[in-house]
Amino acid sequence: EVQLQASGGGLVQPGGFLRLSCVASGFTFSPYVMGWFRRAPGKELEWVSALSDEGDYATYADSVKGRFTISGDNDKNTLYLEMNDLKPQDTAVYYCAKGKRGIRSYSHPDRHDYWGQGTLVTVSS
């Protein structure tokens, strides 16, 4: 059974750091694009970052570029999101997602077929 389990969220002060993890089971990362999305309170789902199927290319939403880093460990079948200089507007439930086979668009949620349950990140003084 394909399953994604996200963890690492919590409460952090503005300017702080968090490292999110997403452990995958039922498939291996290497053939698929993997990504992170988030849903802030009262807002629609927002794409955050994506990692190519070969793990050699990463792309980011403008709102997090320069602050967040996506990476993957194929041996551990785990996806990571390092979040630096966190801002209150980063407060959201963060979801990891598996891209569909042959995905071309990294940022569209409809191009992903499995999702983690989410981990809450709260950035507040």
Side-chain angles (χ1 to χ4, degrees):
E1 179 181 355
V2 173
Q3 188 173 37
L4 301 174
Q5 185 175 11
S7 62
L11 176 63
V12 65
Q13 296 183 21
F17 167 84
L18 281 176
R19 183 176 185 248
L20 306 183
S21 299
C22 174
V23 179
S25 60
F27 72 101
T28 55
F29 276 38
S30 56
Y32 302 99
V33 169
M34 298 293 296
W36 290 94
F37 293 77
R38 67 186 182 186
R39 188 185 296 276
K43 298 183 178 180
E44 65 182 12
L45 193 67
E46 177 189 17
W47 171 74
V48 175
S49 183
L51 185 67
S52 68
D53 53 354
E54 296 181 353
D56 59 346
Y57 178 76
T59 186
Y60 304 89
D62 288 342
S63 59
V64 306
K65 192 174 299 181
R67 299 188 297 118
F68 290 12
T69 302
I70 189 172
S71 63
D73 187 331
N74 288 338
D75 291 336
K76 297 183 180 297
N77 227 32
T78 301
L79 184 73
Y80 303 98
L81 184 68
E82 295 183 338
M83 312 164 68
N84 297 284
D85 191 25
L86 284 161
K87 305 178 183 299
Q89 54 264 46
D90 295 319
T91 295
V93 177
Y94 284 72
Y95 302 90
C96 56
K98 169 187 172 290
K100 295 179 178 178
R101 183 191 300 175
I103 189 173
R104 297 293 182 267
S105 175
Y106 287 12
S107 62
H108 203 294
D110 289 347
R111 304 311 301 166
H112 299 74
D113 54 4
Y114 289 94
W115 297 77
Q117 292 301 304
T119 184
L120 176 63
V121 173
T122 302
V123 184
S124 179
S125 299

